[in-house]
Amino acid sequence: MDVGGILGNRDSKQGKSNTPRRRKWVKRRETWLVLLGVILHAVYMLSIFDIYFKTPIVHGMDLVSPRFSPPAKRLVLLVADGLRADKFFEPDSDGNFRAPFLRSVIKNQGRWGVSHARPPTESRPGHVSIIAGFYEDPSAVTKGWKANPVEFDSVFNQSQHTISYGSPDIVPIFCGALPHSTWATYPHEFEDFATDASFLDEWSFDQFQNLLNKSNEDPKLRRLLEQDNLVIFLHLLGCDSNGHAHRPFSSVYLNNVKVVDHIAERIYNLLENYYKDNRTSYIFTADHGMSDKGSHGDGHPSNTDTPLVVWGAGVKHPRPVSEKDHSDHVLRFIDQHVHDAPTPKEWGLDGIERVDVNQADIAPLMSTLLGLPCPVNSVGNLPLGYVDMKKEEEVEAVLANTKQILNQFLRKSQIKSSHSLYFMPFKPLAHYSSMLNQIEDLLSARDYKAAMQLSENLRSLALKGLHYFQTYDLLLLMTIITLGYIGWMVFLVLHVLQAYTSFSRDIFMKKEAVHQKYNTGKAQLYGCLFMAVVSLLLFLEHSPPLYHAYFAMTVFLWTQILNEYKFLKALWRYLSGENSDYVIKLLATAVVSVIILELLVHSFTERKLYTWCFLIVGLMASIYLYKLIPWRSGIPVFVCLACWFLSLFTLMPAEIPDNNKLVIASGVMIVVIGLTAKWFELQAAGNKYWSGICNHEKRQPRFPMLFQLQALLVGLSSIMVFLSTSHRTEKQELHTIHQLMNWFIAGLSMILPLFSENGLLSRLNSIFLGFAPPFLLLSIGYEAVFYGSLGLVLIAWILFENSLLYLSKVKKSSTSGKNLEESVLLQNDGRYLQLSDMRIPLTFMVLFNVAFFGTGNFASIASFEISSVYRFITVFSPLLNLALLESKGIMRHYLAGYGCFLRASPIRYSDFEQVKNTGSWMEIVSSCVKTSLRFCLAAAVTQLLRLGVLLSLCRSQLPSPMGYGNFSKQGETLVLDYQV
């Protein structure tokens, strides 16, 4: 196996001589490269926010006051958090509808439809869309979606007064800093997933009812409630909490639909009896839906389709409609649903006109009903199908909506033109003022139809213009960042070629190139001059400071590459002089690597590719080993079966069904695997062949009872899975003693691997058993079995690599006449990197990714069941829940990483060309990672630098994590002797 290095063969005839000066130079250079890499990736990762995730909010626009009389004096907004449309509209198993009051409203009083939410379908972006009228950028997650990264306008801001009750995660966002508001929230402790959360909805109603009752004795409060432009907002969280805890098909969730309907009925009767003026408008909707597995976040219809019912002052009454009235045209909503989709027959509403809207359209609807200016950053289109107004007033309302959006466009255009040296305007709106004048002339001439059409066209152009300026710098920044990443990879490759391969010897044998001293002054001078010019231009354009950092980093990297121009010329001459066999071998390795990495990219959406991968690899690896290993062992069969076992999991659904019996059985399987690994260790003690393969350490263990203790904790965790789940199922609460024991078992088990031995198999077995208890306690189904399967494959890979190493040493021993046992125990064997070493980082990338995606997607919390955390905590705590869910994936990640000796932590480079800024968190994050994987081939090569590089994976003992080995000089060539 010790064939020619990637860039040449080692010359064994050359003598060894210490080169401390060269050794210090390499160590110093690599320390500098690590620091540079950390800074570079930190800076470039921030560019994602400048390219894709810039806030859409701009300030400085004037409000557009409507020129019509408001049809309503007050408005009630009821938002049933997590209520999906089908569960609201469809009947139950007995044929009875769950929302009888709102259904009667649909048939007799108001209008209805489906509100289409834009992913990510989370609570904060949904409420921002409803109340403020724009789709909040995902960058708001940097503040947990709990605080406002940028203050924005909303319907509440424009109201005379706002009364709000509900969740502490939503209400303070809109009312916390609003002086003209009355609001209250329940404490976070109320959000307990182990209970029926419908009482949270009742709490919000009770608070408002108490306020009305109090006003009968408080004249000041009475005057406040009787003023115009009053907004009442009740946030009803029950459906969301019950959906997470019990699934949307559960009786608890479906009963909560009845609860919110009853609250809507009581609110209506309460206010109609209180005011008795028929000047109140009512809007009932939801911020997002709920998937079948009790999660939300992505763009599935169960998450984006939410009910919308509007009735009261200023709202049209129901209109009969037939199927032929549906046009089925190709226009799409914000969630990519086609307009005029047919209404499901089971809803029983196909005979009543349905008016679907985008979620952001609700904000201008509320503003129009109250006669308020639209929120200044709203991008919603007024849905005229809901508004009962005269034709002239309808045009005025649409025109006000258009002017408000146009003002945003003009403000963004003004800001960009004032900073740009070469400004490129949005040409379709170059004559917007003449279009506005034409609309005013049509209004004066009472040609309302033409005025309406022109207003809607102008509004559509204004929205396109907003998108144009939102992505104005996209192409420039993408080019700079992509060039920077490419430059970083090229720079690292050059270092690897100079420090860890035979190129230094083979290329610079000529006398004039021995010292490798280049005249780099010109390249550095030109780089500095170019950067000075770029910085001046950026300064004149008032560009953000990070723009300077992006350009500076890219220019610096390419300047360093140009410094090596003589080496590059010599490298080209060297490769040109190589024989065709070597070039073909190099190209074949590159093609195979690219194919494997492209498969990894596609595996993000097609998980079944891993099934084929492990089926083929298991068969090929076992056949290859069977032919090479001279003795009859079970290693080939074990490798094959382990790979085939793991291949089953990517055929299973990402939505993990509950199966606690399988989790308990997985604990038994994990203990059996640990016992098997321990048996291998004991076998190695008396067998020189197994000792060579398993790298068994003959010294006495420091903690002889460590394995027994870890196996005991795995057994206890299985028992606690049974006790915690059964107790909670019966009593709907988590027993305190069970909670404390779960935390204790999980914490203790993760500490114990620190005391394990340094032997290869013993260390991996200890880590495998150490993370098993917390993983089992966080599991709900087959993912617990996957953990054991992944451990088996990691053991199989180690046996495979070490078998090849053992055979290589045996071959060397037989040719050199050395004793076999001495060759097995050989520890220091300096050599160059080889093309065959590419197998190792590619294998790592496959295992690293399958550790994440073997049972779903790590990129979104929605990919996990929130019930996974029930054995540790049931009260809603965003940070703690997030930490527990993330740790579930990190444990598999760490197991895979350490199974690969933690020597190939991937640096993934992104070309940023396929990043998405819409969709669920799974889609947004996956788009970033999918594009980055396309650079993994270069990353795998450049990682040879940090591995010290791949030689440690070809050694049979655990390396020091910080070790890079010792260097010696052979002629003019630097050779690495890795020290274990």
Side-chain angles (χ1 to χ4, degrees):
M1 297 301 295
D2 191 17
V3 295
I6 292 177
L7 307 173
N9 294 319
R10 172 176 173 176
D11 189 355
S12 60
K13 295 182 180 181
Q14 294 182 10
K16 294 185 178 180
S17 61
N18 292 327
T19 56
R21 185 176 179 183
R22 175 72 172 177
R23 187 185 313 141
K24 290 180 180 180
W25 175 84
V26 172
K27 186 175 183 179
R28 183 171 61 250
R29 182 178 175 86
E30 290 181 351
T31 302
W32 175 78
L33 282 175
V34 170
L35 293 175
L36 177 63
V38 171
I39 296 172
L40 179 140
H41 284 82
V43 171
Y44 281 173
M45 288 303 293
L46 290 174
S47 68
I48 293 178
F49 294 97
D50 285 318
I51 296 174
Y52 290 102
F53 301 132
K54 296 180 68 173
T55 175
I57 299 173
V58 289
H59 299 283
M61 294 86 66
D62 294 328
L63 294 171
V64 179
S65 300
R67 299 183 300 191
F68 56 86
S69 300
K73 292 183 62 176
R74 68 200 66 87
L75 181 139
V76 178
L77 175 63
L78 304 174
V79 178
D81 201 310
L83 176 58
R84 52 192 273 181
D86 58 346
K87 297 305 172 190
F88 175 78
F89 290 117
E90 71 185 15
D92 57 23
S93 57
D94 297 328
N96 300 319
F97 292 98
R98 302 185 183 97
F101 169 73
L102 290 172
R103 192 173 185 83
S104 68
V105 167
I106 293 172
K107 291 184 176 181
N108 304 311
Q109 290 180 260
R111 308 305 294 269
W112 78 284
V114 172
S115 172
H116 297 269
R118 191 189 82 163
T121 45
E122 304 289 349
S123 291
R124 169 165 176 140
H127 282 87
V128 169
S129 299
I130 294 170
I131 300 170
F134 68 91
Y135 301 103
E136 188 171 38
D137 194 88
S139 62
V141 79
T142 57
K143 291 198 175 182
W145 272 339
K146 298 295 182 279
N148 293 335
V150 181
E151 293 300 327
F152 54 83
D153 190 21
S154 71
V155 176
F156 296 176
N157 292 44
Q158 302 302 326
S159 68
Q160 192 71 24
H161 196 86
T162 294
I163 299 171
S164 179
Y165 299 104
S167 168
D169 300 316
I170 296 300
V171 172
I173 294 175
F174 303 95
C175 300
L178 193 64
H180 56 278
S181 65
T182 301
W183 60 278
T185 66
Y186 40 77
H188 276 290
E189 291 73 24
F190 279 25
E191 300 176 31
D192 191 341
F193 291 112
T195 63
D196 182 353
S198 60
F199 78 94
L200 300 177
D201 302 340
E202 296 288 354
W203 183 94
S204 298
F205 172 77
D206 291 342
Q207 294 297 310
F208 179 66
Q209 186 178 39
N210 292 337
L211 183 73
L212 290 185
N213 293 337
K214 184 179 178 181
S215 68
N216 295 325
E217 302 174 358
D218 187 342
K220 183 178 179 180
L221 180 57
R222 179 81 183 190
R223 287 193 299 271
L224 183 148
L225 292 172
E226 289 180 346
Q227 61 186 331
D228 293 348
N229 298 332
L230 176 68
V231 175
I232 301 164
F233 169 50
L234 296 187
H235 177 246
L236 311 175
L237 186 63
C239 287
D240 184 74
S241 296
N242 285 328
H244 286 312
H246 308 286
R247 312 294 191 276
F249 289 95
S250 66
S251 59
V252 178
Y253 179 91
L254 298 178
N255 181 71
N256 208 144
V257 179
K258 300 178 182 179
V259 172
V260 296
D261 176 75
H262 189 45
I263 288 175
E265 181 180 14
R266 286 184 287 169
I267 284 286
Y268 174 74
N269 293 332
L270 194 65
L271 290 176
E272 292 303 309
N273 292 330
Y274 187 88
Y275 290 108
K276 301 178 181 178
D277 59 359
N278 296 322
R279 295 293 304 278
T280 307
S281 299
Y282 302 87
I283 294 179
F284 176 90
T285 187
D287 54 346
H288 56 74
M290 184 72 61
S291 72
D292 291 345
K293 65 174 183 175
S295 63
H296 52 82
D298 61 23
H300 191 274
S302 62
N303 289 326
T304 61
D305 290 358
T306 62
L308 176 62
V309 182
V310 186
W311 75 100
V315 180
K316 290 180 179 177
H317 282 70
R319 186 175 78 90
V321 68
S322 60
E323 292 185 3
K324 63 181 181 180
D325 292 322
H326 288 280
S327 61
D328 292 323
H329 50 69
V330 295
L331 293 178
R332 292 182 176 272
F333 289 103
I334 198 71
D335 62 345
Q336 299 303 308
H337 280 51
V338 178
H339 277 255
D340 294 327
T343 301
K345 292 289 186 182
E346 59 269 20
W347 291 6
L349 297 173
D350 49 332
I352 304 175
E353 184 180 28
R354 166 180 167 181
V355 184
D356 285 12
V357 300
N358 285 320
Q359 195 170 62
D361 300 341
I362 298 176
L365 173 61
M366 291 192 291
S367 297
T368 300
L369 291 174
L370 290 173
L372 299 173
C374 287
V376 293
N377 289 113
S378 171
V379 294
N381 297 323
L382 174 64
L384 290 174
Y386 286 90
V387 181
D388 186 17
M389 302 172 69
K390 298 178 182 178
K391 276 293 181 182
E392 179 182 0
E393 293 179 328
E394 285 185 356
V395 178
E396 289 288 359
V398 172
L399 181 58
N401 183 202
T402 300
K403 289 180 178 179
Q404 168 263 319
I405 297 175
L406 184 63
N407 281 350
Q408 293 182 72
F409 162 80
L410 295 175
R411 179 58 179 163
K412 287 194 174 185
S413 178
Q414 178 188 5
I415 293 173
K416 185 57 65 175
S417 62
S418 64
H419 294 167
S420 298
L421 297 177
Y422 178 69
F423 175 67
M424 293 181 291
F426 184 67
K427 294 181 180 179
L429 281 178
H431 305 290
Y432 72 91
S433 57
S434 62
M435 298 177 69
L436 287 174
N437 292 333
Q438 187 178 355
I439 294 172
E440 294 293 346
D441 293 339
L442 291 172
L443 282 172
S444 300
R446 298 180 180 275
D447 189 352
Y448 301 129
K449 183 177 180 180
M452 178 71 74
Q453 184 176 0
L454 191 56
S455 296
E456 291 176 342
N457 291 340
L458 181 57
R459 182 176 61 187
S460 177
L461 288 175
L463 289 171
K464 292 178 180 178
L466 284 176
H467 177 73
Y468 171 79
F469 286 114
Q470 187 73 14
T471 58
Y472 189 85
D473 295 328
L474 184 144
L475 182 60
L476 174 65
L477 291 178
M478 283 180 60
T479 302
I480 292 301
I481 300 303
T482 302
L483 285 175
Y485 273 124
I486 294 174
W488 172 245
M489 289 186 289
V490 172
F491 187 44
L492 286 184
V493 168
L494 291 178
H495 174 76
V496 170
L497 294 179
Q498 292 173 341
Y500 297 107
T501 69
S502 61
F503 265 128
S504 300
R505 178 198 65 191
D506 297 332
I507 292 179
F508 295 105
M509 289 297 289
K510 293 184 179 181
K511 184 176 180 179
E512 63 272 14
V514 168
H515 298 290
Q516 306 181 29
K517 293 181 179 179
Y518 308 148
N519 183 12
T520 60
K522 289 184 178 180
Q524 293 176 350
L525 177 61
Y526 293 150
C528 291
L529 290 176
F530 181 72
M531 188 59 224
V533 173
V534 170
S535 297
L536 179 61
L537 294 175
L538 293 174
F539 178 78
L540 294 176
E541 290 196 344
H542 301 281
S543 298
L546 279 175
Y547 281 34
H548 295 261
Y550 304 148
F551 276 90
M553 194 68 71
T554 302
V555 171
F556 172 78
L557 287 172
W558 284 101
T559 300
Q560 296 301 313
I561 293 171
L562 291 177
N563 283 343
E564 306 289 345
Y565 72 96
K566 286 189 177 181
F567 177 79
L568 292 170
K569 288 173 62 177
L571 177 62
W572 175 254
R573 288 197 301 267
Y574 178 84
L575 291 177
S576 300
E578 283 290 317
N579 56 49
S580 58
D581 291 342
Y582 177 79
V583 176
I584 292 174
K585 185 178 180 181
L586 190 64
L587 291 176
T589 303
V591 169
V592 172
S593 301
V594 170
I595 291 174
I596 293 175
L597 293 171
E598 282 298 314
L599 289 176
L600 287 178
V601 172
H602 292 293
S603 71
F604 274 66
T605 54
E606 295 293 334
R607 294 169 56 239
K608 293 180 181 179
L609 289 173
Y610 288 116
T611 298
W612 290 105
C613 172
F614 283 101
L615 285 175
I616 296 172
V617 168
L619 182 62
M620 293 179 61
S622 60
I623 294 175
Y624 184 69
L625 279 179
Y626 189 81
K627 290 182 177 180
L628 289 179
I629 296 178
W631 62 91
R632 292 292 178 259
S633 71
I635 294 179
V637 176
F638 173 73
V639 170
C640 182
L641 293 179
C643 291
W644 285 7
F645 185 30
L646 188 63
S647 70
L648 299 175
F649 292 92
T650 47
L651 295 175
M652 297 181 183
E655 297 183 0
I656 303 173
D658 290 342
N659 193 332
N660 287 301
K661 292 181 179 179
L662 193 59
V663 177
I664 297 170
S666 300
V668 178
M669 184 189 74
I670 290 170
V671 173
V672 171
I673 294 173
L675 286 170
T676 305
K678 189 68 175 177
W679 179 82
F680 275 132
E681 273 195 279
L682 297 177
Q683 286 292 106
N687 189 309
K688 61 182 179 180
Y689 303 108
W690 277 111
S691 180
I693 292 175
C694 299
N695 187 36
H696 176 72
E697 289 192 340
K698 295 183 179 180
R699 63 185 181 184
Q700 280 293 113
R702 293 174 296 173
F703 302 95
M705 298 298 294
L706 179 63
F707 172 79
Q708 290 83 343
L709 178 58
Q710 290 188 298
L712 175 63
L713 289 176
V714 174
L716 285 176
S717 64
S718 297
I719 295 174
M720 291 310 302
V721 167
F722 171 76
L723 292 177
S724 300
T725 305
S726 60
H727 188 83
R728 178 185 170 273
T729 302
E730 294 173 1
K731 299 187 177 181
Q732 292 296 309
E733 62 181 8
L734 179 65
H735 202 287
T736 304
I737 187 64
H738 291 169
Q739 184 179 10
L740 293 176
M741 288 187 66
N742 291 338
W743 280 105
F744 174 77
I745 292 172
L748 178 61
S749 64
M750 288 190 291
I751 296 175
L752 292 180
L754 298 175
F755 304 98
S756 63
E757 302 303 317
N758 290 328
L760 172 64
L761 200 55
S762 60
R763 174 63 61 85
L764 180 59
N765 192 28
S766 180
I767 292 174
F768 173 72
L769 293 175
F771 284 111
F775 194 88
L776 289 174
L777 290 169
L778 287 169
S779 297
I780 63 169
Y782 73 82
E783 78 271 33
V785 185
F786 172 80
Y787 181 87
S789 176
L790 180 62
L792 288 174
V793 170
L794 294 175
I795 294 174
W797 185 38
I798 290 172
L799 292 176
F800 177 84
E801 292 292 343
N802 283 0
S803 296
L804 298 183
L805 176 65
Y806 178 85
L807 293 174
S808 174
K809 290 180 177 180
V810 170
K811 184 176 180 180
K812 285 183 180 181
S813 175
S814 61
T815 56
S816 63
K818 289 183 178 180
N819 180 270
L820 175 62
E821 186 172 355
E822 290 178 354
S823 67
V824 171
L825 298 177
L826 184 63
Q827 293 185 358
N828 300 322
D829 182 24
R831 66 170 177 82
Y832 299 124
L833 299 177
Q834 305 169 3
L835 279 177
S836 61
D837 290 335
M838 289 299 295
R839 176 189 71 250
I840 298 168
L842 290 173
T843 304
F844 168 79
M845 291 304 299
V846 173
L847 291 174
F848 185 87
N849 281 275
V850 81
F852 283 108
F853 307 115
T855 60
N857 286 282
F858 181 76
S860 172
I861 292 301
S863 299
F864 293 107
E865 301 288 353
I866 198 168
S867 57
S868 299
V869 305
Y870 286 169
R871 300 183 188 109
F872 292 95
I873 185 174
T874 60
V875 177
F876 179 69
S877 175
L879 292 178
L880 185 55
N881 289 345
L882 175 65
L884 288 170
L885 291 174
E886 293 284 355
S887 66
K888 187 178 179 183
I890 291 173
M891 279 183 274
R892 292 184 302 194
H893 168 200
Y894 188 79
L895 177 65
Y898 206 93
C900 307
F901 287 2
L902 291 177
R903 294 174 226 166
S905 58
I907 299 179
R908 295 175 173 177
Y909 306 97
S910 174
D911 58 358
F912 288 92
E913 295 176 359
Q914 298 181 10
V915 175
K916 296 175 62 177
N917 57 4
T918 61
S920 68
W921 279 114
M922 178 180 67
E923 294 164 335
I924 292 172
V925 179
S926 292
S927 67
C928 298
V929 181
K930 282 172 69 175
T931 56
S932 68
L933 277 177
R934 300 188 185 274
F935 282 99
C936 282
L937 176 60
V941 175
T942 56
Q943 280 304 95
L944 304 181
L945 159 68
R946 300 175 67 193
L947 298 177
V949 265
L950 285 170
L951 300 181
S952 59
L953 279 175
C954 296
R955 295 295 175 265
S956 60
Q957 289 183 304
L958 283 171
S960 169
M962 300 301 294
Y964 282 93
N966 295 327
F967 296 91
S968 61
K969 192 162 186 183
Q970 299 183 6
E972 297 297 332
T973 306
L974 184 67
V975 178
L976 172 65
D977 290 330
Y978 197 91
Q979 297 293 332
V980 177

